[in-house]
Amino acid sequence: MLITDVYKNTPAAYAGLRPGDVVLKLNGVEVEDKAGYLALLRVQTRSEDIELEVLHDGKVGRVVVRPQSLELNEIRSQAWTRWGMAVSKDSRGSGMLVSKVRPNSASARLGLKPGDKIHQIGNHRVNSQKDFLDSFLRNRMNNKVLLKVQRGRNYYHVKLNI
């Protein structure tokens, strides 16, 4: 699996992973593609170190990644970078208001606008900043995420292509 992005202050960055590296194995199990990599990650516990065999600059090496909890500001920053949206609580009811959309982002290409309301990400309802950030963490490596969005009185199910 080719690594295309490594965010600052993440376990991957601390382990020395770089865009362009290729993950060959995770804990001794061959990684064939992103879906396989994600499936292997899902069975890891937060306290377990992850051993990766990585092709870096033409050489195969071993890297140990130590999972860590991310700070809320770092998660918000990653959501802004990866999805291109920031949200805030709507005092008038459920859902989270899109407060900002980054130009040329996945959210902008989808047509999201400030004032739209996000009610659901994947199968999870979004009624707080914590719900939004948890949903982002659950879906951050996916290429597509299903959103339930409200614009005015109308509700839509849309795919955010990342």
Side-chain angles (χ1 to χ4, degrees), residues 26-149:
L26 187 148
N27 291 339
V29 179
E30 215 170 286
V31 174
E32 293 186 20
D33 56 20
K34 184 177 177 181
Y37 175 78
L38 292 174
L40 291 169
L41 275 183
R42 285 188 185 102
V43 298
Q44 295 296 124
T45 63
R46 289 184 185 181
S47 61
E48 287 182 298
D49 286 350
I50 298 168
E51 183 178 311
L52 300 175
E53 187 175 293
V54 178
L55 179 64
H56 175 80
D57 289 337
K59 296 177 186 172
V60 176
R62 187 180 144 270
V63 175
V64 175
V65 179
R66 291 192 163 76
Q68 69 181 37
S69 297
L70 294 173
E71 298 292 325
L72 291 179
N73 285 337
E74 184 61 34
I75 300 168
R76 269 189 214 99
S77 174
Q78 285 186 25
W80 178 252
T81 300
R82 182 113 171 104
W83 289 0
M85 76 170 89
V87 298
S88 60
K89 183 66 181 148
D90 183 8
S91 60
R92 298 171 292 172
S94 65
M96 294 295 289
L97 285 175
V98 174
S99 55
K100 291 191 281 186
V101 175
R102 188 170 49 79
N104 302 315
S105 66
S107 294
R109 288 189 301 274
L110 178 61
L112 289 179
K113 298 178 181 178
D116 288 345
K117 245 190 202 185
I118 307 292
H119 286 276
Q120 194 168 321
I121 299 174
N123 293 327
H124 300 279
R125 293 201 177 277
V126 178
N127 289 311
S128 67
Q129 192 71 233
K130 182 180 180 332
D131 292 345
F132 176 79
L133 297 175
D134 287 347
S135 292
F136 171 76
L137 285 175
R138 236 185 323 282
N139 293 283
R140 71 182 170 185
M141 296 202 45
N142 296 340
N143 292 326
K144 295 179 184 179
V145 179
L146 186 63
L147 306 176
K148 182 178 180 184
V149 177

